[in-house]
Amino acid sequence: MNTEQTAGKGKSSALVKVLYVAAIVMAVIFVYTLIDNILYFRDYITSYGMTFGDMWRDGVRYILSGSFGYIAYALILLAAGSILKMLQGDRPAKVTAEGAEEPQLAKAEEPAEVKEDVKAEAAEIAEKIVAGAEAASEEETEEKSDSDKEDK
């Protein structure tokens, strides 16, 4: 028995959810490493009796190199999840009695008028290209015959 139902709209695949969760984890790691690097650098400059103004370049470089890689990874994972979700769209999936989902491909249907307009435009462009190629060929033939006459 194969009863079919349509899954609800807006259903995301497991991969999209995994990408979003990984992005959140990376963002949390970013916050942790940012705070940890700031506290470490603060302790470092106070142990040597310096101020932030004395070593601000080193501090900024240390903090950026130690933590901003994680936010970059988080943004990449978030973008990948968003792109994948956008590509999947809201296509409903068929659900069989066994619970397995069968993906449904969306059929692109265009009105016949639009198809005919596109075909007509394509034919006009093709005619212009052919006419331009013929004109260029004729010019080359004329130039070649003129140069042959000059050589004699």
Side-chain angles (χ1 to χ4, degrees):
M1 186 168 153
N2 191 10
T3 60
E4 296 179 355
Q5 296 176 342
T6 304
K9 284 189 174 184
K11 183 175 179 176
S12 299
S13 72
L15 181 59
V16 172
K17 292 176 184 176
V18 167
L19 288 172
Y20 285 156
V21 169
I24 291 170
V25 168
M26 287 295 195
V28 168
I29 292 172
F30 162 73
V31 170
Y32 170 76
T33 57
L34 180 68
I35 293 169
D36 188 51
N37 287 337
I38 290 171
L39 293 175
Y40 173 79
F41 188 71
R42 186 191 65 181
D43 292 341
Y44 178 78
I45 59 175
T46 56
S47 69
Y48 285 103
M50 302 176 131
T51 63
F52 182 74
D54 296 335
M55 298 183 66
W56 70 272
R57 286 185 185 146
D58 294 331
V60 169
R61 183 176 43 222
Y62 179 77
I63 292 167
L64 290 178
S65 67
S67 59
F68 275 79
Y70 292 105
I71 197 69
Y73 295 138
L75 292 174
I76 290 170
L77 290 171
L78 181 67
S82 298
I83 290 170
L84 187 60
K85 185 175 181 179
M86 182 181 66
L87 289 175
Q88 289 176 346
D90 286 334
R91 286 184 265 165
K94 250 191 228 178
V95 179
T96 61
E98 292 82 28
E101 293 183 1
E102 298 175 15
Q104 294 290 321
L105 298 177
K107 294 181 181 178
E109 296 182 19
E110 296 179 1
E113 302 158 357
V114 174
K115 289 181 183 179
E116 293 302 321
D117 290 342
V118 171
K119 287 180 184 178
E121 288 179 29
E124 288 176 19
I125 292 171
E127 288 175 8
K128 289 178 183 177
I129 291 172
V130 169
E134 289 174 355
S137 176
E138 289 174 8
E139 288 177 11
E140 287 178 9
T141 306
E142 289 175 9
E143 289 176 8
K144 195 173 192 180
S145 64
D146 289 342
S147 65
D148 287 344
K149 288 179 185 178
E150 291 176 5
D151 289 341
K152 290 182 182 181

